[in-house]
Amino acid sequence: MNVKAMGASHRAASAVNTSAALLLTWLAYTVLLGGLHIVTPPNPDSAIFDYMSWRVLGGDRVYVDVIEQNWPGAVWIHMVSTVLFGNTWWSFRLLDYLLLVLASVALFWMGRKAGSRWTALLAPPLYQLMYLTSSPWMTGQRDALSAH
């Protein structure tokens, strides 16, 4: 093996190590933020939708037995969280966070496809931090979820 090939091999191994370290750092960051997010009590809107989804899953009908002036999409999303994670106060927070993580992965992918390494590396953790530090009223709102 010549010197040029050895240098290329070393650079490739270094790039793999750097990528693995960045991925592990992002995963640790994501787990930490997720742990902090799911223990945040639900805002009053989320609590209402949690209750409505529990009632609808029990056989009640939206707009007949339980009333909400908004479209039923929020109730349906809360029903998904209740089915997946049970009827707990943190179920919707967990679903909300998992959707945020998926959106962050999509941001990384879009940054890479656009050819911008820095966008791919910085946009996902900054988006996660911005979303989760906005306030408990911001997270989990249907307009914020649709923005993911």
Side-chain angles (χ1 to χ4, degrees), residues 7 13 17 24 37 47 52 64 69 72 76 78 89 98 106 111 114 123 126 134 140:
N17 289 340
L24 288 175
H37 180 62
M52 291 178 66
V64 176
Q69 76 272 15
W76 296 338
H78 282 259
W89 63 269
L98 292 175
L126 290 176
S134 297

Side-chain angles (χ1 to χ4, degrees), residues 26-37:
W26 179 74
L27 288 173
Y29 173 81
T30 297
V31 169
L32 174 68
L33 286 181
L36 294 172
H37 180 62

Side-chain angles (χ1 to χ4, degrees), residues 18-91:
T18 302
S19 295
L22 287 172
L23 177 62
L24 288 175
T25 301
W26 179 74
L27 288 173
Y29 173 81
T30 297
V31 169
L32 174 68
L33 286 181
L36 294 172
H37 180 62
I38 64 169
V39 298
T40 304
N43 61 49
D45 287 350
S46 288
I48 290 168
F49 291 129
D50 281 339
Y51 175 71
M52 291 178 66
S53 71
W54 174 70
R55 295 271 312 263
V56 171
L57 286 169
D60 287 352
R61 296 167 293 165
V62 179
Y63 306 118
V64 176
D65 302 312
V66 288
I67 305 298
E68 171 56 29
Q69 76 272 15
N70 293 304
W71 67 291
V75 176
W76 296 338
I77 293 170
H78 282 259
M79 288 170 63
V80 169
S81 72
T82 301
V83 168
L84 291 176
F85 307 116
N87 187 23
T88 64
W89 63 269
W90 53 263
S91 296

Side-chain angles (χ1 to χ4, degrees), residues 7-23 112 117 121:
S9 174
H10 177 69
R11 282 191 302 276
S14 178
V16 169
N17 289 340
T18 302
S19 295
L22 287 172
L23 177 62
R112 292 294 296 234
R117 182 174 189 245
L121 293 175

